[in-house]
Amino acid sequence: MDVDLRQLRCLLAVVDEGTFTDAAIELRISQAAVSRNIAALEGALGVKLVQRTTRSAALTPAGERAVAKARRIVALMADLERDARAGTGQVRIGYAWSALGEHTTEFQRQWKSRFPHTELHLVRSNTPSGGLLDGTTDFAILRRLPQGAAVEHVLIGEEKRYCAMSADDPLASRRSVTLAQIAAMPVAMDLRTGSTTLDLWPEQGRPQGVIPINDIDDWLTEIGSGAARGITAASTAHQYRRRGVTYRPVRDAPMVPVYAAWLRSDPPPEREAVIALLAALYA
């Protein structure tokens, strides 16, 4: 039997995301690659696993049984990687959009003095769990919590919300803006990992349209072109400056919560000390 982890991860992504297209976005590969991996897995096992339609993907009975085992196999391999890395003196902290904004440099500086024998790696991972569920990070900085109980978290701070707009936007001359003013144009949103959803607005005052994007680069491109506005946390406004894009505070929007997160089944060592350092920066 010729089965590899890529095929299993593709199967799990299709199940978790609901479609081949969304699975491809989650895994950051092409939709054709997802289809090839699923087909190869079905060929290796000799059974049909996924019933695909134009809008969704549903598991066959054989697929249901395969998914349960695939989750265990992927989790075991993640455990193997963590065990192999144990004692190597590295901690990987993932983030989807921005790390700690204006606190990032100070965090890196204090890390060296607090944990001199542990190397810090900040990892950008445009996934809902900040890389925790795929085993690429030990901690994650999240401003939107993923669904499910696999990830444990603690609130470490809050950030103001800012509106991003093109430099020639009529609102760019204002010192601050409101949600109602922003809604007069389409709003670019990353509905998977971004901190902005339509729930920010009352039902009768929602934006004229939503432009879905996949990551920070797409978001900045749409906004810089003048096709949309965006709302984000202060950390993004600090970390991502681009010519032609202006940020203004949103005076009537709630603060963005900032969480430190880790896998409930495998809490990293020195967790309390890392959380204390993060919380102190926001305090």
Side-chain angles (χ1 to χ4, degrees):
M1 186 183 300
D2 188 13
V3 173
D4 63 39
L5 280 176
R6 287 175 299 179
Q7 297 164 359
L8 298 180
R9 288 193 175 109
C10 283
L11 175 63
L12 296 180
V14 168
V15 173
D16 293 340
E17 303 302 323
T19 68
F20 278 61
T21 300
D22 290 335
I25 294 172
E26 171 69 17
L27 296 172
R28 307 186 76 173
I29 60 177
S30 69
Q31 184 176 332
V34 173
S35 298
R36 286 196 301 270
N37 276 294
I38 296 295
L41 181 59
E42 291 175 330
L45 298 178
V47 292
K48 186 74 173 176
L49 301 174
V50 180
Q51 208 64 45
R52 184 176 180 180
T53 68
T54 55
R55 293 191 176 183
S56 64
L59 290 174
T60 65
E64 295 279 0
R65 295 190 296 271
V67 162
K69 292 181 173 60
R71 289 197 190 280
R72 291 199 293 271
I73 292 170
V74 171
L76 284 171
M77 293 305 295
D79 288 343
L80 175 61
E81 181 186 357
R82 282 190 289 271
D83 289 345
R85 287 192 306 101
T88 59
Q90 294 183 1
V91 168
R92 303 163 302 170
I93 299 182
Y95 61 93
W97 275 56
S98 54
L100 300 167
E102 63 180 345
H103 306 300
T104 302
T105 300
E106 180 64 16
F107 176 63
Q108 293 170 310
R109 187 188 66 78
Q110 290 197 29
W111 183 277
K112 290 181 179 179
S113 62
R114 299 276 189 96
F115 309 103
H117 304 297
T118 304
E119 188 175 356
L120 172 66
H121 292 278
L122 295 177
V123 181
R124 182 177 162 193
S125 173
N126 195 43
T127 63
S129 70
L132 292 174
L133 294 181
D134 58 20
T136 58
T137 60
D138 307 295
F139 286 96
I141 305 299
L142 302 177
R143 292 167 179 85
R144 178 177 177 177
L145 295 174
Q147 295 181 345
V151 173
E152 193 167 354
H153 65 276
V154 62
L155 181 71
I156 57 172
E158 293 181 322
E159 295 175 349
K160 292 181 179 179
R161 291 185 195 264
Y162 279 73
C163 175
M165 64 194 78
S166 65
D168 59 359
D169 189 294
L171 297 182
S173 62
R174 299 174 180 265
R175 295 181 62 183
S176 64
V177 296
T178 67
L179 289 169
Q181 290 169 338
I182 296 167
M185 275 185 63
V187 176
M189 296 184 193
D190 184 339
L191 298 176
R192 295 172 55 255
T193 64
S195 58
T196 301
T197 69
L198 287 174
D199 292 337
L200 272 179
W201 289 268
E203 190 169 352
Q204 301 305 317
R206 289 181 172 174
Q208 291 186 354
V210 172
I211 298 180
I213 52 90
N214 296 323
D215 59 26
I216 182 68
D217 292 321
D218 291 346
W219 186 76
L220 288 169
T221 298
E222 289 288 347
I223 292 168
S225 72
R229 293 168 178 155
I231 298 181
T232 189
S235 53
T236 306
H238 179 86
Q239 191 163 327
Y240 293 99
R241 297 288 181 177
R242 179 174 290 190
R243 185 183 298 274
V245 174
T246 298
Y247 293 94
R248 293 290 181 266
V250 186
R251 60 178 179 267
D252 61 345
M255 301 283 278
V256 178
V258 184
Y259 303 98
W262 58 91
L263 285 181
R264 186 182 301 273
S265 61
D266 188 21
E270 299 184 321
R271 181 174 73 260
E272 297 301 328
V274 173
I275 291 171
L277 174 54
L278 290 167
L281 292 170
Y282 278 93

